Amino acid sequence: MKAISSLPNSSLKGGYNLFVISLIAALAGFIFGFDTVVISGANLPIKNLWHTTPLFHGFFIMSMALWGTVAGSVFGGIPTQKYGRKKVLLWIGVLFSISAIGSALAQGPYMFSFFRFIGGVGIGVSSVAAPTYISEISTPKTRGSLGAMYQFNIVFGILIAFLSNYFFKGIGGENDWRWMLGVMAVPALIYTIMVFRIPESPRWLISIKKDLVAAKEVMQRLGISNAEEEIATIVVSNQHETSAGKTSGFFSSKYKTVIWLAFMIAFFNQWSGINFILYYAPEILQRAGLAAKDSLFNSISIGGINLLFTFVGLYLIDRAGRKTLLIIGSIGYIISLSLVAWAFHAGAGAGFLLTFILMFVASHAVGQGAVIWVFISEIFPNKIRATGQSFGASVHWVFAAIITLITPVFLDKDNGIFKNNPWPIFAFFAFMMVLQLVWVLTKVPETKGVSLEELEKRLIKE
């Protein structure tokens, strides 16, 4: 590795816009959000078309993409670490395109499940590569807001999926769900083309490829005036990481603090019930007394509130901080979920129920939604960031898949355990959010405005 002082000045062909390249990487989140929720519109039509049992439907139709996501998140850290962030982001778009076209054309539940699994792999890998990439090209002051753009694109994709489902309802008759799923190929192809224009992560170039010259060029084109100083800091951090003569294993006691932080934030994210509500929103609202078309329309309001309050989270994450947003979100979760449970138990009107479902979604958008991908991507050292992101994302998706798999067993109107009244489900989620609040107050550190290398010093115990 060349000495920092001997690095040549690169001949620059023009600068990179940090916001634009972060946005392009974050567009993986748009397809992630769209793909995650578009299945809600296809849920009941597919159930009626293929006459599936609740358990079969939960596994092969509703949760198969999530099992692909689990696979993608578990193994996504390997190519992201070895081949670079940019190459992996490119292949994500390819997987999304194949999944959209294949799912729309599937003639049976098993072929449908296969292509949904492929799309899920793309989602899982994107939840590793995109936040990792954005955190590594950002500055300490912008890392929160730029990182949260990934979440913004997720919720924007969710809103567009709800709108798409609503407008495609009835088009093509019984095959309208094919249009709902197939249209995702358009943004997937656009995203794939745009990724060609972004640079590789300078921290990956330094830490993994050992190419300081290329890293310096990227940093200079990003507008970092003290590129050599930044590179020196990263090199020293990497040397400190391996100073004992060999790199510690990921699950060593050295990383215990950050591993537990990543596990717990991902665990609580899903036991809030957010995917349960997003995936099954039309069915939940129908259970409250809304007609099928009305339930799809009101699902759009869920997507709209999610987007609006994600803007609030984006504004506050680098101002109020990650921990403060998690506290605000936890309190909102507890209040809204408790009142949704009461609404079902007492038979309150659909308007009352929808109000507090929207409050729940707003609480998620400001709290966990804005924080999770930023927080996981910033707490791990450079050397193991992709692996750490993979770990946190896989925990998130394992629990998302489990919840989506078992939901029909509890919610199915004919055979579900709570088929007559699902209030205990929401009461359980409210209890879990009480536990989250206790954890945030006692264990979560504030990370806003701190460089990645400084966070490493604070959180990694020798």
Side-chain angles (χ1 to χ4, degrees):
M1 187 181 292
K2 291 185 178 182
I4 303 299
S5 59
S6 68
L7 290 181
N9 287 319
S10 303
S11 177
L12 304 183
K13 299 179 181 179
Y16 292 118
N17 185 300
L18 181 58
F19 176 81
V20 171
I21 63 174
S22 298
L23 181 60
I24 291 172
L27 284 175
F30 175 87
I31 307 169
F32 164 172
F34 191 101
D35 186 79
T36 300
V37 168
V38 72
I39 191 65
S40 67
N43 173 20
L44 296 178
I46 288 177
K47 186 184 292 186
N48 295 331
L49 174 65
W50 289 323
H51 305 292
T52 52
T53 64
L55 188 58
F56 182 98
H57 188 76
F59 183 78
F60 283 98
I61 305 302
M62 295 302 290
S63 73
M64 185 53 69
L66 284 173
W67 292 114
T69 302
V70 170
S73 60
V74 168
F75 298 107
I78 298 172
T80 303
Q81 194 80 345
K82 183 175 182 179
Y83 299 111
R85 293 30 167 160
K86 178 178 177 176
K87 288 181 181 178
V88 172
L89 288 170
L90 184 63
W91 277 101
I92 287 168
V94 175
L95 290 176
F96 281 138
S97 301
I98 294 171
S99 172
I101 296 169
S103 299
L105 298 177
Q107 296 302 304
Y110 295 106
M111 187 60 69
F112 178 86
S113 298
F114 172 77
F115 285 109
R116 288 292 293 166
F117 183 86
I118 293 296
V121 171
I123 292 175
V125 178
S126 83
S127 65
V128 176
T132 298
Y133 177 83
I134 295 170
S135 73
E136 290 183 344
I137 65 169
S138 306
T139 66
K141 289 184 178 179
T142 62
R143 192 174 62 245
S145 56
L146 292 179
M149 279 202 304
Y150 181 69
Q151 177 65 19
F152 166 79
N153 275 280
I154 292 173
V155 300
F156 185 50
I158 288 170
L159 174 60
I160 297 301
F162 279 135
L163 284 166
S164 176
N165 285 353
Y166 177 74
F167 288 116
F168 278 121
K169 181 69 176 176
I171 294 178
E174 294 180 350
N175 289 316
D176 56 4
W177 62 272
R178 297 185 185 277
W179 290 94
M180 296 177 185
L181 294 167
V183 73
M184 192 187 73
V186 176
L189 290 170
I190 293 172
Y191 160 79
T192 305
I193 294 170
M194 293 178 71
V195 169
F196 279 106
R197 298 180 59 84
I198 67 174
E200 184 52 86
S201 159
R203 281 185 166 85
W204 179 82
L205 290 170
I206 296 166
S207 302
I208 307 300
K209 199 174 181 182
K210 314 298 185 186
D211 190 343
L212 305 193
V213 174
K216 180 181 178 181
E217 179 178 348
V218 172
M219 286 183 170
Q220 288 178 331
R221 293 179 67 180
L222 286 171
I224 298 174
S225 57
N226 57 339
E228 290 188 0
E229 183 180 331
E230 286 287 324
I231 292 171
T233 301
I234 295 168
V235 169
V236 169
S237 175
N238 292 342
Q239 289 172 344
H240 174 73
E241 175 68 8
T242 57
S243 60
K246 63 176 182 178
T247 303
S248 301
F250 180 77
F251 288 104
S252 67
S253 59
K254 179 177 183 178
Y255 303 126
K256 179 175 66 175
T257 299
V258 291
I259 287 173
W260 273 110
L261 287 171
F263 177 90
M264 294 303 291
I265 195 170
F267 172 85
F268 282 124
N269 181 281
Q270 284 306 300
W271 289 108
S272 68
I274 184 62
N275 270 27
F276 166 76
I277 288 178
L278 292 179
Y279 269 55
Y280 293 93
E283 188 169 348
I284 292 169
L285 294 173
Q286 280 189 55
R287 195 67 57 85
L290 293 169
K293 189 74 173 179
D294 290 335
S295 68
L296 278 176
F297 180 77
N298 282 289
S299 296
I300 297 172
S301 65
I302 292 176
I305 289 292
N306 203 359
L307 183 66
L308 175 63
F309 280 89
T310 295
F311 274 118
V312 177
L314 276 168
Y315 178 79
L316 293 176
I317 192 167
D318 281 323
R319 292 173 171 84
R322 287 60 151 159
K323 183 169 184 173
T324 300
L325 292 189
L326 287 174
I327 293 170
I328 293 170
S330 297
I331 294 171
Y333 277 143
I334 294 165
I335 295 171
S336 58
L337 286 166
S338 298
L339 288 171
V340 169
W342 179 85
F344 271 114
H345 185 266
F352 182 92
L353 179 70
L354 181 60
T355 297
F356 288 101
I357 286 180
L358 293 178
M359 180 182 175
F360 164 82
V361 172
S363 302
H364 176 80
V366 170
Q368 269 271 14
V371 172
I372 179 171
W373 302 116
V374 173
F375 187 76
I376 295 175
S377 70
E378 66 189 1
I379 59 175
F380 289 97
N382 292 324
K383 285 281 189 178
I384 61 164
R385 181 163 295 110
T387 306
Q389 185 73 27
S390 176
F391 170 76
S394 62
V395 171
H396 172 277
W397 290 116
V398 164
F399 286 108
I402 291 171
I403 290 171
T404 307
L405 169 63
I406 65 175
T407 291
V409 177
F410 291 90
L411 194 63
D412 186 77
K413 66 179 181 179
D414 297 319
N415 302 303
I417 296 172
F418 301 124
K419 60 184 177 182
N420 296 321
N421 197 327
W423 74 266
I425 299 173
F426 295 95
F428 171 76
F429 288 143
F431 169 72
M432 294 302 293
M433 291 302 93
V434 172
L435 298 183
Q436 174 179 268
L437 180 58
V438 173
W439 171 72
V440 172
L441 290 171
T442 58
K443 298 294 184 180
V444 175
E446 184 54 73
T447 58
K448 71 167 183 174
V450 184
S451 73
L452 296 177
E453 287 69 36
E454 179 60 30
L455 281 174
E456 179 178 342
K457 293 178 183 178
R458 297 183 186 183
L459 297 176
I460 304 303
K461 308 301 180 184
E462 297 296 339

